[in-house]
Amino acid sequence: MTALIAGGVDCDLHPAVPHLTSLLPYMNDYWRDQVTTRGMTDLVSQSYPLNSPISARPDWRPAQGKPGSRLEDMQRQALDPFKVAFGICNPLHGVQMVFSEDMADAFCRALNDWLAKEWLDKDARLRGSIVIPVQSVEKSVAEIERSADDERFVQVLMLVMGDMPLGKRHYWPIYAAAERLGLPIGIHAGSAYHNPPSSVGWGSYHIEDYVGQAQAFQNQLTSLIVEGVFARHPNLKMVMLESGFTWLPPFLWRLHKFWRGIRMETPWVDRAPLEIVRSNIRFSLQPVDAPPDPAVLHRLFDHMQSDELLLFSTDYPHWQFEGNDALPEGLSSDLVRKIMIDNPLATYGRLKHEAATEMTP
């Protein structure tokens, strides 16, 4: 087993909302009445079916309730064993599936306040991602600005499958707000299910949805690059969460070839796609979609041409590895330090500032 380094950053933890009623204390009277009057029970996405094996490791699955819904479980099963200094909470609650802009806004606001009160307040290691109502760009910007007042929120969270490509100018005010406040955009696997999760329509089985997530990340990365997001927002970082990363080298080879061939179509893309990825895009480690042979993995890292792209993550409580084997075999201690500490701190400006402050005598 590759040895862990204490003091790392886990960039992808998933605290679960125990029940929709858990958010009621963080809603105003109108929305509390709406939830109870309508008989709303929960907002559960099919991206992670509760009883699917990959949705929770057997030893991380509680006897009752949702996996990841208890802080003490996360502390005992993830924060303590992996010796992290910081853990970034990415709550996957089905607010992106709501069509109403006003309802989505109310749920996102409540979800962010719930995360701060029930998790961040209770463990100094935890940090949060701001969940935004992407149904309304205006409300999304307002929620980013509101929640960002709490320095413990270090990222803005979006899903990889929504209503349109993420490079579209429709979303640029969100990116402008995140860049101005020094917050990366975390793009997580998952879907609003307003559109089929594949380019050829609806599949029959969960595996088709799950495998198709990597294709969605490729589509979105193409959109973000060719639409010119990083030409407009050069200091914006984006983190692909649960995207996998072994597809990156062949994807970039193909994109680079066609960018060179038809670059007159997008003159604002004034750097090669690989250069943009190196400067602005990062990828979470888990799930590691590489063969178990360390030699093959090292060749893959060589093809990626950078040791700064990967960020440590456990994807707690999802089932991606056994025991404490969160890191692939055969990584050097220098590369482990890059993945666990250096790369995350370089990506998350608020964590870097806090870590530097703590080290200052």
Side-chain angles (χ1 to χ4, degrees):
M1 183 178 71
T2 300
L4 298 163
I5 295 178
V9 180
D10 189 336
C11 297
D12 195 28
L13 297 165
H14 298 300
V17 177
H19 191 271
L20 191 60
T21 56
S22 305
L23 299 182
L24 292 183
Y26 304 97
M27 295 180 178
N28 62 28
D29 291 342
Y30 172 80
W31 285 109
R32 281 196 296 269
D33 183 65
Q34 287 292 305
V35 170
T36 54
T37 301
R38 296 183 186 206
M40 299 177 69
T41 56
D42 214 342
L43 296 173
V44 179
S45 168
Q46 287 304 303
S47 293
Y48 299 91
L50 291 179
N51 293 322
S52 173
I54 61 174
S55 293
R57 237 172 67 170
D59 55 325
W60 289 349
R61 188 181 290 276
Q64 294 182 329
K66 296 178 183 177
S69 60
R70 291 165 22 108
L71 174 60
E72 51 267 39
D73 288 343
M74 181 185 287
Q75 292 168 328
R76 176 173 50 86
Q77 296 168 343
L79 297 176
D80 296 340
F82 298 106
K83 307 173 185 177
V84 297
F86 299 107
I88 301 176
C89 295
N90 299 316
L92 301 178
H93 201 52
V95 293
Q96 291 88 351
M97 299 185 296
V98 175
F99 281 95
S100 166
E101 295 181 6
D102 293 326
M103 182 179 288
D105 183 43
F107 279 129
C108 286
R109 189 183 187 96
L111 181 61
N112 293 327
D113 288 347
W114 167 85
L115 181 65
K117 183 71 173 179
E118 304 297 334
W119 294 81
L120 308 189
D121 281 358
K122 296 179 180 180
D123 193 308
R125 294 169 291 185
L126 293 180
R127 298 296 180 269
S129 292
I130 303 170
V131 181
I132 57 174
V134 292
Q135 299 85 339
S136 166
V137 170
E138 180 183 10
K139 293 181 184 298
S140 292
V141 171
E143 183 58 20
I144 292 171
E145 293 174 342
R146 184 189 77 91
S147 295
D149 285 342
D150 185 339
E151 291 286 334
R152 297 173 301 177
F153 282 98
V154 299
Q155 178 173 249
V156 175
L157 191 64
M158 302 176 73
L159 294 181
V160 71
M161 295 185 187
D163 291 331
M164 67 180 73
L166 291 176
K168 290 285 190 179
R169 287 156 179 78
H170 171 82
Y171 291 120
W172 285 18
I174 293 174
Y175 306 151
E179 182 184 40
R180 174 168 48 82
L181 293 165
L183 298 169
I185 300 286
I187 301 175
H188 200 285
S191 176
Y193 294 108
H194 298 169
N195 298 303
S198 87
S199 60
V200 294
W202 294 95
S204 301
Y205 304 101
H206 177 56
I207 188 173
E208 297 176 82
D209 183 345
Y210 193 75
V211 172
Q213 298 288 326
Q215 299 167 12
F217 278 102
Q218 295 173 42
N219 292 336
Q220 296 292 22
L221 187 51
T222 301
S223 173
L224 291 164
I225 291 173
V226 303
E227 292 274 3
V229 169
F230 302 109
R232 175 64 68 89
H233 304 292
N235 296 317
L236 179 66
K237 291 285 196 300
M238 289 196 172
V239 182
M240 306 298 177
L241 297 161
E242 289 192 47
S243 60
F245 55 87
T246 61
W247 50 266
L248 186 62
F251 163 79
L252 286 175
W253 294 334
R254 182 178 179 86
L255 181 57
H256 183 83
K257 172 183 173 64
F258 291 119
W259 167 74
R260 290 183 64 186
I262 52 177
R263 60 187 301 180
M264 62 182 180
E265 181 186 28
T266 55
W268 46 83
V269 185
D270 56 0
R271 293 183 292 156
L274 175 58
E275 293 181 29
I276 296 174
V277 168
R278 283 177 180 170
S279 62
N280 296 89
I281 306 294
R282 298 295 179 262
F283 301 84
S284 68
L285 180 68
Q286 294 290 348
V288 177
D289 53 349
D293 185 348
V296 175
L297 187 61
H298 278 285
R299 287 201 299 273
L300 172 67
F301 287 148
D302 289 340
H303 290 316
M304 292 171 68
Q305 301 181 45
S306 175
D307 60 1
E308 299 180 351
L309 300 183
L310 293 183
L311 311 180
F312 178 73
S313 66
T314 60
D315 191 24
Y316 176 86
H318 301 157
W319 192 6
Q320 309 294 357
F321 57 88
E322 306 291 348
N324 289 343
D325 295 344
L327 293 168
E329 288 288 348
L331 302 185
S332 68
S333 58
D334 289 341
L335 185 54
V336 170
R337 181 176 180 84
K338 292 281 289 187
I339 292 173
M340 294 196 68
I341 299 177
D342 297 344
N343 294 349
L345 292 183
T347 300
Y348 294 99
R350 291 188 171 189
L351 292 186
K352 182 178 181 179
H353 174 74
E354 186 170 350
T357 301
E358 291 177 355
M359 293 175 62
T360 302

